[in-house]
Amino acid sequence: MDQPVLPLGAPRGERADAVRNRLHLLTTAREMLAEQGADRLTMDGLAERAGLGKGTVFRRFGSRAGIFQALLDDDERAFQERVLSGPPPLGPGAAPLERLIAYGRARVGFLVAHREIARAALDGTQPVPAGPETPLSRMHIRMLLGQMGLGAADLDVLTVQLTAALDGPLLLYLSASDLTQAADQADERLAHGWQDLVQRVCRP
Amino acid sequence: MDQPVLPLGAPRGERADAVRNRLHLLTTAREMLAEQGADRLTMDGLAERAGLGKGTVFRRFGSRAGIFQALLDDDERAFQERVLSGPPPLGPGAAPLERLIAYGRARVGFLVAHREIARAALDGTQPVPAGPETPLSRMHIRMLLGQMGLGAADLDVLTVQLTAALDGPLLLYLSASDLTQAADQADERLAHGWQDLVQRVCRP
């Protein structure tokens, strides 16, 4: 089965100065994040430090949550490249069950490491997740399940179930009141939970 | 393990006339739903037909979506009673795996049958689901898993995974563009997918 083409690339046909502004804003936002943490990153502060107008920042990101979403999208692209063409077992070359375990573990690690950004990108007005917000997870899980020969299972439904089973505990973790505590334990517990689940589901 | 006490009952200490108004409004809303469908049920229309002020309807439900949420809550209470004290295998008296299968099947049937109401109750401003929005699912699934003796599994994580795996496909179905088509097939496909998943997960 071909690898899916995912809609996560940079917008096409962006003009050169718009591309430059975007990169400059994201780089500046990363500096501010590293120095001051997510809570202190505002639209006004970003515009001022980047030396650009507030209107430019607003048009680019729409809202404060939009800044964090853009940072997340940028890192998502790098994550996606590791999945599509990085070394196994996350990338191609390992058995499908190994890749499925590695994918969930890497996804948990990515989102726990990005917990501050991911949380700030969730401003509470998004529609329900578990939908097309996770195209990479869904398409990748579907592809790997298809390679496993799971007998009579309804692979499309199983794909949605497993995608939700991966995202659900992560969303619950990200919506918890205190994220700074016990990030390492959460990471390992969620990763282990994923491995246990898919081993149970996919055993012959 | 004791059955959990769930926070779904009618608000306590409601004054008698408020209770009467609430029942009258819900009954009127159900009549309008049956006659005209969800799309035509508005705050103004409900106030007029119920012979109550718009302010009363607004204070009671907050928004149009709130009307549908109240109808759903009302039916949720009846559903909950079937789970807690109705006949097996949904109610007590069957083996835990049988009850788990019956629970997911009944939940799918309930939400597919309530698809118009459930969809109208989702106005896109809710926070992420998969959290405390499904206290019954989470507590009930946790209790049944605990009765199964699943070895070394992390039952709390598995509970969140299975709750999300039950809700995820349902949310995807409810957010699809055309719900009227193929509700019967969706019902059976999601119910069968649930049964297949939990049988895979819970086999010894």
Side-chain angles (χ1 to χ4, degrees), chain A residues 122 124-126 128-131 138 150 153-154 156-158 160-161 164-165 168-169 172 189 193-194 196-197 200-201 203-204, chain B residues 122 124-131 138 150 153-154 156-158 160-161 164-165 168-169 172 189 193-194 196-197 200-201 203-204:
Chain A
L122 280 178
T125 65
Q126 277 85 0
V128 292
R138 193 114 59 86
L150 286 177
D154 182 333
D156 290 328
V157 169
L158 183 56
V160 180
Q161 290 171 327
L172 199 63
R189 194 174 174 198
W194 170 256
D196 188 50
L197 179 73
R200 284 174 182 273
V201 168
R203 64 192 154 173
Chain B
L122 279 178
T125 65
Q126 277 85 1
V128 293
R138 193 115 59 88
L150 286 178
D154 182 333
D156 291 327
V157 169
L158 183 57
V160 180
Q161 290 170 328
L172 198 63
R189 194 173 173 197
W194 170 255
D196 189 48
L197 180 73
R200 284 174 182 272
V201 169
R203 64 192 153 173

Side-chain angles (χ1 to χ4, degrees), chain B residues 41-59:
Chain B
L41 177 52
T42 62
M43 304 268 276
D44 286 353
L46 176 58
E48 188 181 328
R49 173 132 168 192
L52 291 167
K54 290 179 191 177
T56 304
V57 175
F58 185 83
R59 275 193 303 279

Side-chain angles (χ1 to χ4, degrees), chain B residues 154-195:
Chain B
D154 182 333
L155 295 188
D156 291 327
V157 169
L158 183 57
T159 297
V160 180
Q161 290 170 328
L162 289 183
T163 307
L166 176 57
D167 289 348
L170 276 163
L171 288 168
L172 198 63
Y173 168 72
L174 292 174
S175 66
S177 55
D178 185 0
L179 290 182
T180 52
Q181 215 182 5
D184 287 353
Q185 292 101 300
D187 188 331
E188 185 45 37
R189 194 173 173 197
L190 295 178
H192 191 274
W194 170 255
Q195 174 159 354

Side-chain angles (χ1 to χ4, degrees), chain B residues 114-148:
Chain B
H114 283 75
R115 61 195 180 281
E116 272 200 289
I117 298 181
R119 187 183 216 181
L122 279 178
D123 64 1
T125 65
Q126 277 85 1
V128 293
E133 286 73 21
T134 50
L136 174 62
S137 284
R138 193 115 59 88
M139 295 169 87
H140 190 59
I141 290 172
R142 177 66 183 79
M143 184 195 74
L144 295 174
L145 290 175
Q147 294 173 350
M148 276 185 220

Side-chain angles (χ1 to χ4, degrees), chain A residues 115-204:
Chain A
R115 61 195 180 280
E116 270 200 291
I117 298 181
R119 186 181 220 182
L122 280 178
D123 64 1
T125 65
Q126 277 85 0
V128 292
E133 286 72 22
T134 50
L136 173 62
S137 284
R138 193 114 59 86
M139 295 169 89
H140 190 60
I141 291 172
R142 178 65 183 80
M143 185 195 73
L144 295 173
L145 290 175
Q147 294 173 349
M148 277 185 220
L150 286 177
D154 182 333
L155 295 189
D156 290 328
V157 169
L158 183 56
T159 297
V160 180
Q161 290 171 327
L162 289 183
T163 308
L166 176 57
D167 289 348
L170 277 164
L171 288 168
L172 199 63
Y173 168 72
L174 292 174
S175 66
S177 54
D178 185 0
L179 290 182
T180 52
Q181 216 182 6
D184 287 354
Q185 292 99 303
D187 188 333
E188 185 44 39
R189 194 174 174 198
L190 295 177
H192 191 273
W194 170 256
Q195 174 160 353
D196 188 50
L197 179 73
V198 297
Q199 282 176 333
R200 284 174 182 273
V201 168
C202 301
R203 64 192 154 173

Side-chain angles (χ1 to χ4, degrees), chain B residues 73-118:
Chain B
D73 288 347
D74 211 44
D75 290 349
E76 281 280 3
R77 271 191 288 280
F79 179 81
Q80 175 185 342
E81 279 180 23
R82 289 170 55 211
V83 173
L84 297 182
S85 55
L90 182 58
L97 178 56
E98 265 189 89
R99 288 195 74 193
L100 188 59
I101 292 169
Y103 178 75
R105 285 191 161 271
R107 193 74 199 147
V108 165
F110 177 86
L111 281 173
V112 170
H114 283 75
R115 61 195 180 281
E116 272 200 289
I117 298 181

